[in-house]
Amino acid sequence: MREVAASMSDAVAVVTGGNRGIGSEIGRQLARLGMQVVLTSRDAAKGEAACRRIGEEAGADVARLTTFKLEVTSADDIKALAAHIAAKFGRLDVLVNNAGIQIDPKGSRALGADLQIYRDTFETNVLAPLALIQALLPLMKKNGRIVNVSSGLGQLSEMSSGTPAYRMSKTALNALTRIVAAEVRGSNILVNAMSPGWVKSDMGGPYAPRTLEQGADTAVWLATLPDGGPSGGFFYERAPITW
Ligand SMILES: NC(=O)c1ccc[n+]([C@@H]2O[C@H](COP(=O)([O-])OP(=O)(O)OC[C@H]3O[C@@H](n4cnc5c(N)ncnc54)[C@H](OP(=O)(O)O)[C@@H]3O)[C@@H](O)[C@H]2O)c1
């Protein structure tokens, strides 16, 4: 098992979009490390089912794995989540902004694009992580880890055509990562972005070469960084990559 900072072993973590895919796996791995994990899901029943499934399949400590209904684009849901975390735990140590969508129509191009696709994509992939950070960072009390699940498709250094709204949203999420990291510099809140690679999930599809476990690994590593670890970085397979 990987090393975890002592203060992180009993930490409280929120993972968005935790009912399936990479988010569910990040939650499973954090719970197995001893964290109290709140797997959020916009469908409460799916969140409950994910907690049950993880408990049965992986033997995680399910008492530590709970769910909370969160549509990430809902200001009311975010407010309710912050109140829930404050009342139940009194603090938050880890926030993983994992929920994301890729809704560019097949073959879509920025030239001639339907702007509503961009608005919807940015609401979920950029503005929701920003709103969640705004609402939950005060619960970190100057000590925490924020992980933004980004994508290699957001790398400016590799930018090309294809899925333009998704690409732009992940580039913006990367910018948000750097901005927040700069705003909290001097505290022990470490803010990083990561790419899971091309992962077999509903979004990645059946031909993706990477497993959920591989896709989740770097997010879990960033969520358990020791004090003084990197902040404001972009990582793949636990190593920095270009923006
Ligand atoms: N799979 C890949 O190859 C890949 C590659 C690079 C980056 N990523 C990133 O990794 C993250 C997870 O992707 P994945 O492959 O696990 O995708 P996925 O299988 O499609 O799962 C997406 C998760 O996000 C949730 N979600 C989407 N919109 C939401 C909203 N408005 N409110 C609340 N939850 C919402 C979904 O909930 P529902 O079940 O309710 O829809 C689901 O739990 C995303 O940020 C994605 O961009 C994935």
Side-chain angles (χ1 to χ4, degrees):
M1 181 172 288
R2 70 178 60 80
E3 240 177 74
V4 187
S7 60
M8 282 283 143
S9 63
D10 196 35
V12 180
V14 164
V15 182
T16 68
N19 56 289
R20 62 184 165 104
I22 297 168
S24 174
E25 176 60 20
I26 292 170
R28 184 184 77 85
Q29 293 189 21
L30 292 178
R32 292 195 77 181
L33 291 172
M35 289 195 188
Q36 308 179 69
V37 179
V38 181
L39 269 188
T40 74
S41 169
R42 59 180 156 184
D43 180 320
K46 287 184 182 170
E48 295 288 353
C51 289
R52 264 199 312 277
R53 174 177 49 77
I54 292 169
E56 284 162 13
E57 286 173 10
D61 181 355
V62 278
R64 289 171 171 272
L65 196 56
T66 56
T67 188
F68 193 84
K69 185 197 164 299
L70 177 75
E71 159 59 58
V72 294
T73 63
S74 162
D76 287 347
D77 281 10
I78 290 175
K79 208 168 148 194
L81 173 68
H84 169 75
I85 299 295
K88 185 164 181 189
F89 304 104
R91 69 171 211 278
L92 181 68
D93 302 279
V94 172
L95 168 63
V96 182
N97 279 312
N98 164 79
I101 53 171
Q102 200 283 79
I103 55 171
D104 292 275
K106 204 170 164 41
S108 75
R109 293 158 55 86
L111 299 173
D114 172 0
L115 294 191
Q116 196 54 45
I117 298 281
Y118 290 68
R119 291 190 185 100
D120 293 345
T121 303
F122 270 65
E123 278 291 339
T124 299
N125 293 3
V126 186
L127 300 181
L130 170 57
L132 278 154
I133 291 169
Q134 286 177 343
L136 297 179
L137 193 132
L139 292 169
M140 289 187 165
K141 306 190 197 306
K142 301 199 163 129
N143 193 351
R145 308 288 179 262
I146 297 174
V147 183
N148 291 326
V149 179
S150 183
S151 167
L153 294 178
Q155 276 178 288
L156 279 173
S157 52
E158 308 283 326
M159 195 55 67
S160 186
S161 60
T163 60
Y166 182 75
R167 283 180 180 276
M168 286 167 60
S169 74
K170 292 301 190 181
T171 307
L173 181 63
N174 288 351
L176 174 65
T177 303
R178 285 192 72 111
I179 291 165
V180 175
E183 288 188 5
V184 299
R185 194 146 289 143
S187 72
N188 191 26
I189 297 175
L190 306 176
V191 189
N192 291 291
M194 56 78 66
S195 162
W198 185 19
V199 174
K200 231 183 269 325
S201 68
D202 292 340
M203 183 186 288
Y207 302 112
R210 286 165 67 79
T211 63
L212 290 176
E213 202 164 15
Q214 290 170 321
D217 176 75
T218 296
V220 172
W221 173 69
L222 290 170
T224 55
L225 283 175
D227 294 353
S231 188
F234 188 20
F235 296 86
Y236 173 64
E237 290 194 331
R238 301 190 182 199
I241 54 173
T242 54
W243 295 103

